[in-house]
Amino acid sequence: MKKLKHSKYKNTGILFEMLVRKLTSETLSSNKSVTIDIIKKYFGKNTELSKELQLYNALLKEQFRSEAQALDYIRTVKSTHSKLNQSLLSRQRYNLVKEISDRFNFDNISKIHVNNYRTLASIYMIFEHDETDNPKQLLECKNVILNNAMMTERKQIQIDPVLESFEKQPKDVRLLTYKLLVDKFNEKYSNNLDESQKQLLNKYIINVNDTSALKEYIQTVIPEIKKDLASQAKLITDPATQIKVSKLSEMLCTVENMKTIKESHVLSLLRYFDLVRELKEMH
């Protein structure tokens, strides 16, 4: 039986998550966000893509105590999905991917880590195929969704009431709130962070769960910091300070020694950027 293939280019849930990640990185490096315009255009009220996204979220977020209830819910959501205007949905999705490709490098955006990727991929397979296409493969997809949808007996995590209220707001309200928060962040820190620091934060946010991509970027950053510290150390006249700066350069660990990139590593590099900037201002 032919193996069914998943396509992230046609997966509305994954496309939306990638755009949200891109939006986060944009707001740290620029006051104007191109991505938010794309999100509003294709996922605004009453678009067919927004209706499909709601169905993705329905299977992604709903929790059940019994497997029978969960399976019945999956069937109901799939039935609802089949009633969407499929030709319009395909056309809007095609235009979305085309606009992303025209405005950005799609290959780079497609490398952005997406939480719940496997679950979103399984939901896509359920939406796009019937059980007769490949019963075994689609059963595996259902099991992935079930594992995500079943309630566990572990203690429920306490959610901040403000955050809980925020998550219940309409998408437009959440996007506006998010933009206001980012504007406040930029207003407060835009004059304090230089371009190197903004770019580091940008890469960290995009690739926070993709260690290899983050390592690859930091691997280019550390040698540059060491080079700057070495050149600035030569300009320092005080022997004690010169030794301290040289030692700080030696303390910079190599990327190969990092099993995972932690927040502490990023904070450390941000401080090194501060040190380099201060030394350059002195000389």
Side-chain angles (χ1 to χ4, degrees), residues 114-164:
V114 173
N115 292 328
N116 298 314
Y117 183 97
R118 191 176 178 217
T119 307
L120 288 168
S122 297
I123 293 171
Y124 167 87
M125 299 294 277
I126 294 294
F127 283 166
E128 297 298 319
H129 301 285
D130 294 320
E131 290 184 6
T132 53
D133 295 334
N134 191 321
K136 183 181 178 181
Q137 191 176 350
L138 290 175
L139 178 61
E140 291 171 355
C141 292
K142 278 187 181 179
N143 285 334
V144 171
I145 300 171
L146 281 173
N147 288 335
N148 180 72
M150 294 304 297
M151 287 184 178
T152 59
E153 295 300 320
R154 66 177 181 271
K155 185 178 179 181
Q156 292 289 323
I157 298 172
Q158 294 297 316
I159 301 176
D160 187 288
V162 176
L163 180 59
E164 189 174 17

Side-chain angles (χ1 to χ4, degrees), residues 99-223:
E99 185 156 349
I100 293 174
S101 301
D102 289 343
R103 289 177 178 253
F104 314 112
N105 184 324
F106 199 94
D107 287 338
N108 289 341
I109 290 184
S110 65
K111 293 175 184 176
I112 293 175
H113 177 82
V114 173
N115 292 328
N116 298 314
Y117 183 97
R118 191 176 178 217
T119 307
L120 288 168
S122 297
I123 293 171
Y124 167 87
M125 299 294 277
I126 294 294
F127 283 166
E128 297 298 319
H129 301 285
D130 294 320
E131 290 184 6
T132 53
D133 295 334
N134 191 321
K136 183 181 178 181
Q137 191 176 350
L138 290 175
L139 178 61
E140 291 171 355
C141 292
K142 278 187 181 179
N143 285 334
V144 171
I145 300 171
L146 281 173
N147 288 335
N148 180 72
M150 294 304 297
M151 287 184 178
T152 59
E153 295 300 320
R154 66 177 181 271
K155 185 178 179 181
Q156 292 289 323
I157 298 172
Q158 294 297 316
I159 301 176
D160 187 288
V162 176
L163 180 59
E164 189 174 17
S165 174
F166 172 77
E167 289 179 342
K168 291 179 180 177
Q169 297 300 317
K171 184 168 57 183
D172 288 347
V173 174
R174 283 186 278 122
L175 285 172
L176 178 60
T177 305
Y178 174 80
K179 189 174 188 312
L180 289 173
L181 286 171
V182 169
D183 288 343
K184 286 290 184 183
F185 177 89
N186 287 332
E187 184 181 331
K188 185 174 182 179
Y189 295 106
S190 59
N191 294 326
N192 298 326
L193 298 176
D194 61 24
E195 288 305 314
S196 297
Q197 290 172 316
K198 288 179 181 179
Q199 189 172 9
L200 174 60
L201 287 174
N202 183 333
K203 295 291 184 182
Y204 178 61
I205 289 170
I206 292 178
N207 302 301
V208 65
N209 293 313
D210 187 350
T211 303
S212 59
L214 198 54
K215 274 187 176 182
E216 187 178 333
Y217 171 71
I218 291 179
Q219 200 164 14
T220 64
V221 169
I222 291 178

Side-chain angles (χ1 to χ4, degrees), residues 8-61:
K8 59 186 172 184
Y9 304 103
K10 297 180 181 179
N11 189 315
T12 299
I14 289 174
L15 289 171
F16 181 78
E17 289 298 323
M18 289 193 300
L19 284 171
V20 170
R21 279 280 189 173
K22 184 73 174 66
L23 173 63
T24 307
S25 68
E26 267 185 356
T27 50
L28 282 173
S29 57
S30 169
N31 288 326
K32 179 170 175 58
S33 171
V34 175
T35 309
I36 198 168
D37 294 333
I38 296 177
I39 291 174
K40 286 180 177 179
K41 179 178 178 180
Y42 291 97
F43 294 97
K45 189 177 180 181
N46 294 329
T47 66
E48 214 65 13
L49 280 175
S50 71
K51 295 174 186 176
E52 185 180 43
L53 181 63
Q54 287 175 9
L55 297 178
Y56 269 92
N57 288 331
L59 290 180
L60 193 65
K61 297 178 179 179

Side-chain angles (χ1 to χ4, degrees), residues 254-267:
T254 59
V255 176
E256 287 74 16
N257 294 335
M258 302 178 188
K259 290 184 178 179
T260 57
I261 306 296
K262 299 180 180 178
E263 185 179 333
S264 58
H265 294 135
V266 177
L267 289 173

